[in-house]
Amino acid sequence: MKYKSISIFITGAILVAGFSEVSAQDNYVGKRIGEFNSYHHQVGGEVYAVDQSTFLIKKFMYDGNGGDTFFWAGARPRPGPQGFIVPNELGRTNVLDLYLNKDITIKLPDNKKITEIKWLSVYDLSRLEPFGDVYIPEGFEPPQTIILNKLSSKTGEVRSGAVTIADSKTIIIDKLSYDGTGDEVYFWVGVGPQPHSKGIRIPDEHGYMTPLQKYNRKTITLELPGDLTVFTIDWLSLYDTKQLRVLGSIIIPEDLNVPPSLVEIIPHENSMPNCVQLHKELQISWEVFGDQITIELAAQVEEDEYVSFGMSGDPHKPKMVGGDVVVAYMDGYLGYLIDYNISSYMPCTELLGNHKGVCNDDKVGGYQDYQPFSSKRENGINIFTLRRRLTTPDSGDIAYPSEGEAMIIWGLGKLDVIKRPTMHHTWSKVKQPLEFARKPTERKCFAFTRNEKPKLRRWGPFPMADPAMREFKARLGPDGGQRGYSAMTGQQSETGLAWYINGYLVPDIYLKRNTKYKFLVEGGSSPYDPQNYHPLIITDEPHGAYSQLSEEQRKDVNVLAGVGYSLDVYACGNTLVMEIAAKTSSSKLLKDFAIPLCLTVVKEILRCWNSPQISPGQM
């Protein structure tokens, strides 16, 4: 049996629990084929098979002085003119340039497999001779995905199709079914002949570290966190940590010949005594001393993203409304920490003389109670260290309890053009209570990992250019996530909502001059209900949010029509009806449509292009 052990690693002042294996698999890059035999021009390097058709050449050397030199492969006993060109690491068939101890990956063309060739060489076609070559061993088996049996379950609570080991860090479970009735059920891995309580919790398919919800024949992909690989575990299970029982499991075979993972491991260290991984992309560390708490937030986010953390508006479950959070982000080399009060799911807006929504504490009569210590961005990770008193005199702040569990909230999301947080894309959906003053201290964090995320194809655009159309119905709805509003407009939705015009998400609307159009706006017209208050305002401002601007900022915005301004606006129940003309008396603004005309609904923009064309914008 392969030798594995549960180990404790100490790095500086960091105590990290995990698995280790005394094995060459620690830096697994594929199955070794051999080293280049060097004949001319200093060719050298160590060659590995990554998968059925891909080579990794580590520390590849070639002086670049050959005349007509390529990567060349073939099925004859020895390198010769009967072969084919293998594209370089860029996928091109150019003559090879200078390589100096460079790690490169090359792939056989036309779906050819390594098992179909006998050698790989650096070959000069004009001289018909190899400058270096490596031979594929007889009976060599390149790494490939391994398909295992289904999950076994003695109780029948879990069912699945085949379990596939895709690479050294990726496990795919086909058609997983689980009724979601367990107390605290997680994906759980470990060493030993069978699953047990001393294993390690791993993130679900979305990166969350919370108890598993219901699955109904869903195919999911799990990524082993930190430095864990399929070579350092013996089993995978769905395990109830409260009742200490296995709902379903599978044994991971020994000596797997699978492709190496392309996931990059990014270690992060700190000296805090407590650490909890809230999500694959977020960890919090802290220390309580006296009446103060020092916190470190480490989040793997993009440069234009923020991380927020704080106390829930409900002591029994995560609730954003009523919550008290700090929002942290980097702007170049500068870090910012801003204390926020959340009174509604909307950007901070002044309604009836009061600020409502996600508001800076300064705007609602509070204070900035977090003391920043340090902030930096390293290897794609934003790291903030801050301090606050457990209890503050600010009436809008929620105390960090000195004993017992606290209900927390957190979120990751994009910043808008003026560095305000928009609707989070990842957040605390399920309760994750923390005991800040717990003893003994405990560390349950792992290294961050990064892989290339697939680019999602955007929806739209949806042009509306019917010359006979005179009436449009505007309704608020979901922003469509990464394929919807943000991808279509290049802006961020601050509330997770966007406008649908006649059922289409943010379409482009074409209008004719000297023609009257009617817009039926179902967005809420009562300022007493701030979450659902979205009046229609037509401005020449490109980003919207007119009602969130200060009096000074509003002086730079030209309002063409809107609530309390247009002569043809009236309410009909919850529907606001506005009749507008594509041409107004303001010839300065609309002459030849020389500048943008915008329809703005709080954060929603309908932009008018030179066509003239109107397209919905941000909410």
Side-chain angles (χ1 to χ4, degrees):
M1 180 178 177
K2 52 189 173 184
Y3 177 77
K4 298 179 181 177
S5 62
I6 300 178
S7 306
I8 302 296
F9 299 90
I10 298 181
T11 307
I14 309 303
L15 191 65
V16 181
F19 294 110
S20 72
E21 178 185 15
V22 182
S23 162
Q25 305 285 16
D26 290 344
N27 296 307
Y28 180 66
V29 294
K31 189 171 182 179
R32 189 177 185 275
I33 295 175
E35 293 187 5
F36 268 110
N37 302 305
S38 182
Y39 309 124
H40 305 286
H41 295 289
Q42 302 178 28
V43 170
E46 193 168 14
V47 183
Y48 294 81
V50 174
D51 56 30
Q52 295 272 54
S53 60
T54 307
F55 295 99
L56 168 67
I57 308 177
K58 292 186 69 66
K59 298 182 178 179
F60 179 53
M61 293 282 294
Y62 167 58
D63 65 10
N65 292 325
D68 196 19
T69 310
F70 302 88
F71 289 118
W72 189 254
R76 293 296 182 96
R78 293 186 179 279
Q82 290 77 29
F84 56 88
I85 293 176
V86 180
N88 64 17
E89 72 276 17
L90 301 176
R92 300 170 182 169
T93 54
N94 299 347
V95 173
L96 296 182
D97 291 323
L98 170 69
Y99 289 87
L100 183 61
N101 281 328
K102 186 176 181 181
D103 293 351
I104 64 172
T105 300
I106 59 175
K107 186 178 180 67
L108 296 177
D110 304 322
N111 297 318
K112 290 183 171 64
K113 296 183 178 180
I114 294 175
T115 52
E116 299 172 0
I117 64 174
K118 292 183 181 289
W119 43 264
L120 173 70
S121 70
V122 177
Y123 193 83
D124 192 292
L125 291 178
S126 60
R127 297 174 56 177
L128 298 180
E129 68 173 319
F131 294 160
D133 56 33
V134 63
Y135 288 86
I136 312 300
E138 190 72 28
F140 182 81
E141 295 183 4
Q144 59 184 316
T145 59
I146 304 296
I147 300 177
L148 308 178
N149 207 340
K150 61 184 180 181
L151 293 172
S152 64
S153 176
K154 295 181 180 180
T155 64
E157 294 172 273
V158 170
R159 299 184 305 278
S160 79
V163 176
T164 301
I165 310 296
D167 59 45
S168 59
K169 289 182 73 68
T170 307
I171 301 175
I172 302 172
I173 305 177
D174 186 43
K175 298 176 182 177
L176 175 63
S177 294
Y178 162 57
D179 61 13
T181 58
D183 288 330
E184 292 188 20
V185 178
Y186 302 94
F187 290 115
W188 199 253
V189 299
V191 297
Q194 61 185 10
H196 51 75
S197 61
K198 300 300 182 182
I200 287 181
R201 181 196 317 176
I202 66 172
D204 66 15
E205 71 275 19
H206 299 299
Y208 285 91
M209 302 293 293
T210 50
L212 301 181
Q213 305 299 303
K214 181 178 179 179
Y215 291 97
N216 184 15
R217 295 178 60 81
K218 182 179 180 182
T219 297
I220 64 169
T221 300
L222 302 177
E223 179 190 300
L224 295 174
D227 56 3
L228 287 179
T229 69
V230 294
F231 307 116
T232 59
I233 62 173
D234 286 323
W235 43 261
L236 164 71
S237 70
L238 278 77
Y239 188 80
D240 192 322
T241 58
K242 189 172 183 180
Q243 296 188 11
L244 301 180
R245 64 191 188 95
V246 180
L247 279 63
S249 66
I250 191 167
I251 300 298
I252 306 297
E254 300 178 15
D255 303 322
L256 288 170
N257 184 21
V258 296
S261 173
L262 298 180
V263 170
E264 179 186 2
I265 300 173
I266 308 169
H268 168 64
E269 301 177 357
N270 66 47
S271 57
M272 297 284 187
N274 297 281
C275 187
V276 170
Q277 197 82 28
L278 298 176
H279 185 272
K280 173 190 170 185
E281 314 287 3
L282 173 65
Q283 59 182 233
I284 175 175
S285 308
W286 74 89
E287 180 178 24
V288 175
F289 185 78
D291 66 341
Q292 295 186 335
I293 181 170
T294 303
I295 296 174
E296 181 192 272
L297 296 173
Q300 185 170 238
V301 292
E302 300 296 333
E303 292 184 10
D304 62 346
E305 292 187 323
Y306 68 86
V307 54
S308 64
F309 177 84
M311 301 298 293
S312 170
D314 187 319
H316 306 293
K317 61 182 180 181
K319 184 180 179 183
M320 294 292 178
V321 174
D324 171 33
V325 301
V326 59
V327 173
Y329 65 90
M330 297 295 296
D331 186 5
Y333 293 102
L334 298 177
Y336 292 86
L337 299 167
I338 304 175
D339 201 352
Y340 273 84
N341 180 276
I342 306 174
S343 59
S344 179
Y345 288 114
M346 62 176 293
C348 190
T349 306
E350 186 176 356
L351 298 172
L352 304 176
N354 296 311
H355 284 90
K356 300 291 185 181
V358 182
C359 292
N360 185 315
D361 271 19
D362 296 337
K363 289 190 176 183
V364 292
Y367 306 94
Q368 293 296 317
D369 294 293
Y370 284 94
Q371 178 185 358
F373 276 167
S374 65
S375 55
K376 60 183 177 179
R377 181 173 177 83
E378 290 183 343
N379 297 322
I381 301 171
N382 285 358
I383 306 166
F384 306 93
T385 306
L386 53 147
R387 178 178 291 174
R388 201 199 85 167
R389 292 188 180 277
L390 297 175
T391 303
T392 73
D394 192 334
S395 61
D397 286 345
I398 299 176
Y400 287 85
S402 57
E403 60 181 23
E405 292 185 334
M407 192 58 60
I408 63 163
I409 51 177
W410 57 267
L412 307 175
K414 292 280 188 179
L415 296 164
D416 68 9
V417 292
I418 56 174
K419 302 298 181 182
R420 292 178 304 187
T422 65
M423 184 68 177
H424 38 247
H425 55 68
T426 307
W427 70 99
S428 46
K429 300 178 181 179
V430 182
K431 61 182 181 180
Q432 295 173 287
L434 295 181
E435 188 175 356
F436 290 106
R438 65 188 183 190
K439 294 186 183 308
T441 60
E442 191 173 16
R443 297 184 61 83
K444 292 185 176 180
C445 292
F446 46 75
F448 290 97
T449 56
R450 180 187 300 128
N451 53 11
E452 186 174 345
K453 297 179 181 178
K455 293 183 178 180
L456 299 177
R457 185 177 179 181
R458 72 171 188 174
W459 296 330
F462 305 115
M464 299 181 67
D466 185 352
M469 188 172 292
R470 295 290 184 270
E471 184 172 295
F472 301 95
K473 181 171 287 188
R475 289 180 174 173
L476 285 176
D479 66 3
Q482 296 180 11
R483 299 181 61 185
Y485 173 81
S486 60
M488 295 166 65
T489 66
Q491 301 185 65
Q492 300 300 319
S493 170
E494 300 213 8
T495 61
L497 300 175
W499 285 102
Y500 289 73
I501 308 297
N502 291 1
Y504 291 95
L505 176 62
V506 291
D508 296 332
I509 304 176
Y510 293 80
L511 302 180
K512 284 180 64 176
R513 292 182 177 88
N514 301 315
T515 304
K516 183 178 288 188
Y517 295 90
K518 180 183 289 186
F519 286 80
L520 290 84
V521 183
E522 298 182 355
S525 59
S526 173
Y528 296 97
D529 181 12
Q531 183 176 337
N532 298 306
Y533 179 58
H534 305 285
L536 180 63
I537 308 170
I538 307 174
T539 77
D540 64 349
E541 197 275 328
H543 301 294
Y546 179 78
S547 60
Q548 299 167 36
L549 302 178
S550 65
E551 290 298 328
E552 190 64 28
Q553 291 171 323
R554 291 182 184 184
K555 293 179 181 179
D556 297 326
V557 179
N558 293 299
V559 178
L560 306 180
V563 175
Y565 190 95
S566 172
L567 298 176
D568 298 313
V569 176
Y570 56 93
C572 179
N574 290 326
T575 301
L576 189 68
V577 179
M578 172 179 288
E579 295 185 2
I580 65 171
K583 181 176 181 180
T584 73
S585 59
S586 179
S587 59
K588 174 185 176 182
L589 295 177
L590 289 179
K591 183 179 180 180
D592 296 328
F593 290 85
I595 66 172
L597 168 67
C598 305
L599 300 181
T600 307
V601 185
V602 184
K603 290 285 293 182
E604 186 70 17
I605 309 163
L606 301 178
R607 292 177 297 188
C608 181
W609 306 95
N610 290 337
S611 316
Q613 167 192 2
I614 296 181
S615 64
Q618 183 176 344
M619 178 62 209

